[in-house]
Amino acid sequence: MVKYQEIAKDLRHRILNKLYLPGEQLPQEKEMCRTYNVSRITIKKAVDEVVNAGLVIKRRGAGTFVKAVNDDAVKELSMVQQFTGFTESNTGKSISSEIIRFEIVHPSAEVADKLQIDKDGFVYDIIRARYADKEPFVVEYTQMPLDIIPGLKRDVLLDSIYHYIQSGLKLKIQSAHRAIRAMWPNEVEQNYLKVDTSFPMLEVEQVAYLDDGRAFEHSISRHRSDKIIFKTLSIRA
Amino acid sequence: MVKYQEIAKDLRHRILNKLYLPGEQLPQEKEMCRTYNVSRITIKKAVDEVVNAGLVIKRRGAGTFVKAVNDDAVKELSMVQQFTGFTESNTGKSISSEIIRFEIVHPSAEVADKLQIDKDGFVYDIIRARYADKEPFVVEYTQMPLDIIPGLKRDVLLDSIYHYIQSGLKLKIQSAHRAIRAMWPNEVEQNYLKVDTSFPMLEVEQVAYLDDGRAFEHSISRHRSDKIIFKTLSIRA
DNA sequence: TAGTGGTCTAGACCACCGG
DNA sequence: CGGTGGTCTAGACCACTAA
């Protein structure tokens, strides 16, 4: 691990352990340079990481201050920093999947546009219900281009597609663009998730990208609203 | 505007105008240094802005590449960069408010904890219904500490609280922590938003912070699900 | 192995905040 | 006004990718 990450980790720990209290000013950047024996740009990069983690605030002309974030929120901030911003009530539970549909088709015009691929190409068209300890919590509709993700089999769908992409195909996932809405469940979701017509669902539509810039997945996930919360942190530019 | 922002703006425009095509490699950093006549760190900071805007991807050892993002998504990315990530179907409409409740009370234990204030202090307790061209779209439940936001009056609530905080009180808003869920509407929401018991709602719970680190607002907004989409972009660390 | 972006330095000047 | 963080330089070395 490089210097600025080490320093950022140290600052996070000091804040979480209340060595720096909410509202308190952190040491100035020049002083930190002496403390950690690094240049000022390195300190700046370290502190910026902690700003983006939501723990502190910088003000030109004034200093750097610890935010008054409550303890529960702080714990979740470390989660938000992960790739997904989801808090599912599934931690520690065993996840399994049921395959509802697994076909190869031409993409719809909409999906072809979102994935920026040709309408004449082929995509997997997958529908899965996912279970945590045999409790159903989400139905996922996924399309992925055949030529980017070759060799998909049923056993991969039963396990984790993302694991296959990263470990099996050695591809790297870079980012995801998401849109979140509330919805009613359709008939499929009512059946698999065991909810009635009026039960509210949280829909997450996602386009995900590899580190070469190609879109490799379009998916729509319809979650039972009692099983998921989406958390996010926005910092004003 | 400083150099790296100018360069970032130029790169964004080139990508949006297809001078750099999806999948295409951008000029290497050293070449950009010559083109823009700046140092490499400045180029790095400019390109990082474009990465965070979701338009390009950097790979050590390989280069910087334009993401295959579809045009609609690109347009919305510039919106996502704003403070709020919301796409309401309200652009260009006149927003008005109806005050349902406006009291000063002691905070609940939960709100006191989330705002990190004393339970013996006072907070405004506000409930508002908000309209776009007389169409109701959201009910907001807001608590704000009296000593941080003094002098709140009914006419401010009818207009914009955020405008009063920034222009009237000269305070600066730094960040917001949000949790998003799907829900049924309660009786108040059913009445004001003109929806029935089973209509799904998108709830956004928010704690907002000033640039001195103090939490100044806790709010819960219940949106008609047909009037709002929440958009977000996550990039893997 | 050649070429890419990632990290880091030591120092300079600037914009902004607060007393 | 002194002190803060913001920007920027010119250069060095490193880690990683791809051929």
Side-chain angles (χ1 to χ4, degrees), chain B residues 100 127-129 138-141 188-189 192-193 220-222:
Chain B
I100 301 172
I127 305 179
R128 293 189 297 173
V138 63
V139 174
E140 296 180 351
Y141 307 80
V188 172
E189 292 144 18
Y192 281 90
L193 301 179
I220 290 177
S221 302
R222 297 259 178 87

Side-chain angles (χ1 to χ4, degrees), chain A residues 28-29 40-41 44 58-64 172:
Chain A
Q28 56 180 256
E29 296 190 346
R40 202 175 136 220
I41 283 187
K44 251 181 68 57
K58 295 206 279 191
R59 274 157 70 208
R60 184 197 293 214
T64 302
K172 281 183 190 153

Side-chain angles (χ1 to χ4, degrees), chain B residues 19-191:
Chain B
L19 297 178
Y20 299 132
L21 297 172
E24 188 179 342
Q25 183 170 5
L26 259 55
Q28 57 180 255
E29 296 190 347
K30 276 182 196 164
E31 191 182 326
M32 286 197 200
C33 292
R34 290 191 293 272
T35 310
Y36 294 102
N37 198 29
V38 297
S39 78
R40 202 176 135 220
I41 283 186
T42 304
I43 290 293
K44 250 181 69 59
K45 213 168 170 191
V47 176
D48 281 344
E49 284 230 329
V50 189
V51 170
N52 288 326
L55 293 176
V56 303
I57 289 170
K58 295 207 278 191
R59 276 156 69 208
R60 185 196 295 212
T64 302
F65 301 86
V66 181
K67 259 162 91 167
V69 176
N70 90 334
D71 290 355
D72 291 345
V74 167
K75 284 174 208 152
E76 280 151 5
L77 281 174
S78 45
M79 310 272 292
V80 172
Q81 292 314 105
Q82 315 299 335
F83 186 52
T84 72
F86 299 102
T87 301
E88 289 168 354
S89 52
N90 301 331
T91 35
K93 298 184 180 174
S94 69
I95 306 290
S96 60
S97 300
E98 179 174 351
I99 300 170
I100 301 172
R101 175 183 160 88
F102 181 31
E103 306 287 342
I104 292 177
V105 299
H106 291 297
S108 68
E110 192 187 338
V111 168
D113 179 53
K114 286 182 174 166
L115 293 177
Q116 291 289 97
I117 58 175
D118 201 285
K119 277 188 287 290
D120 298 330
F122 288 100
V123 296
Y124 299 105
D125 191 38
I126 302 160
I127 305 179
R128 293 189 297 173
R130 312 209 75 189
Y131 298 79
D133 279 352
K134 302 188 177 164
E135 283 287 320
F137 67 99
V138 63
V139 174
E140 296 180 351
Y141 307 80
T142 306
Q143 291 87 34
M144 294 191 297
L146 209 59
D147 52 356
I148 299 181
I149 313 292
L152 216 49
K153 298 284 185 293
R154 294 187 78 84
D155 59 334
V156 171
L157 301 194
L158 291 172
D159 184 27
S160 162
I161 299 180
Y162 273 42
H163 182 262
Y164 172 71
I165 290 172
Q166 295 178 99
S167 299
L169 298 176
K170 304 288 181 199
L171 298 174
K172 282 184 189 148
I173 299 167
Q174 191 261 356
S175 59
H177 299 226
R178 299 192 178 111
I180 299 167
R181 308 174 190 86
M183 293 235 143
W184 281 297
N186 64 23
E187 292 80 0
V188 172
E189 292 144 18
Q190 290 166 40
N191 285 338

